[in-house]
Amino acid sequence: MSTTPPVLAAELAHAWADIQRHHPELPDLAAPESLIGESSSACGAELSFERLLHEAVHGVAAARGVRDTSRAGRYHNRRFLAIAEELGLDHPEEPHPSSGFSLVTVSPETRRRYRLTAERLQRALKAHLAATASDTKRSFRGPAARHGSSGGGVRVKAVCDCGRNVRVVPSVLAQAPIMCGACKTPFQIVEAVTVAASS
């Protein structure tokens, strides 16, 4: 069952359908909620129409059976780049050492083509962020959030009561507790434990 607010889900579906209109081989968007919230640093820090086009490149690559990334999906290769150009995305001259050609941007012509769709999506995203802002102010998101990263690939130390520790992406730990097999208590991010103890 989708947890995406209906208005935002509808706007995501509308925007995706508009991209499909220009690129019919693009598969349907099965799970809008997968695009909301945390995202990998390789694919962009926040949801936007530009990020949606980026994800559409991956969708077209999948439909064609093209392997467009390596290094667990972090490095975007020249096959990704070729499809990105087809979908109207510009790119840097040289690849980034760790993420390749992931830092694509919408070309002026593509921006004009999708202007109304992008504006509709942006309004829905702003409304979604405003509605969820009070929830995120009280939740711990780890050090990555303070440094402008989504935390998609940044792991932080989490400890349990018996002193064992693991490295974990904060967004993964926020989804559900990770229990220690030895002491049966949940792992907690060290900084969050320190803050709780001092308050």
Side-chain angles (χ1 to χ4, degrees):
M1 180 174 181
S2 174
T3 57
T4 308
V7 172
L8 181 53
E11 289 304 328
L12 282 166
H14 170 81
W16 195 261
D18 196 16
I19 299 168
Q20 281 179 313
R21 197 166 49 86
H22 296 280
H23 305 280
E25 67 188 306
L26 178 63
D28 290 340
L29 181 61
E33 61 271 12
S34 66
L35 299 174
I36 299 172
E38 300 294 334
S39 65
S40 74
S41 57
C43 292
E46 64 182 27
L47 183 54
S48 63
F49 189 76
E50 186 171 88
R51 164 91 191 284
L52 201 61
L53 274 173
H54 178 125
E55 296 302 331
V57 173
H58 291 304
V60 170
R64 294 178 182 174
V66 171
R67 186 169 179 213
D68 63 341
T69 63
S70 57
R71 300 180 196 167
R74 289 186 306 275
Y75 192 86
H76 293 58
N77 59 35
R78 291 193 183 276
R79 289 180 293 271
F80 171 86
L81 184 59
I83 299 171
E85 288 174 348
E86 287 179 42
L87 269 69
L89 293 166
D90 287 335
H91 58 86
E93 289 296 317
E94 296 297 321
H96 185 275
S98 62
S99 62
F101 292 101
S102 69
L103 303 175
V104 290
T105 57
V106 179
S107 72
E109 181 184 335
T110 305
R111 193 173 305 281
R112 283 190 295 276
R113 176 188 301 150
Y114 294 111
R115 184 180 61 83
L116 296 176
T117 300
E119 288 173 359
R120 282 180 58 162
L121 180 60
Q122 189 59 35
R123 283 192 298 273
L125 286 166
K126 281 184 181 178
H128 172 70
L129 289 173
T132 58
S134 60
D135 295 339
T136 58
K137 285 179 184 172
R138 296 185 191 186
S139 61
F140 177 75
R141 294 191 58 220
R146 291 193 307 276
H147 301 294
S149 167
S150 68
V154 179
R155 298 178 190 280
V156 296
K157 184 177 179 180
V159 298
C160 66
D161 286 350
C162 70
R164 297 175 72 214
N165 67 72
V166 295
R167 301 296 265 174
V168 63
V169 177
S171 62
V172 171
L173 195 58
Q175 292 171 10
I178 298 174
M179 306 303 286
C180 172
C183 68
K184 308 296 185 221
T185 61
F187 283 97
Q188 294 183 353
I189 296 173
V190 174
E191 187 174 322
V193 172
T194 307
V195 169
S198 62
S199 55

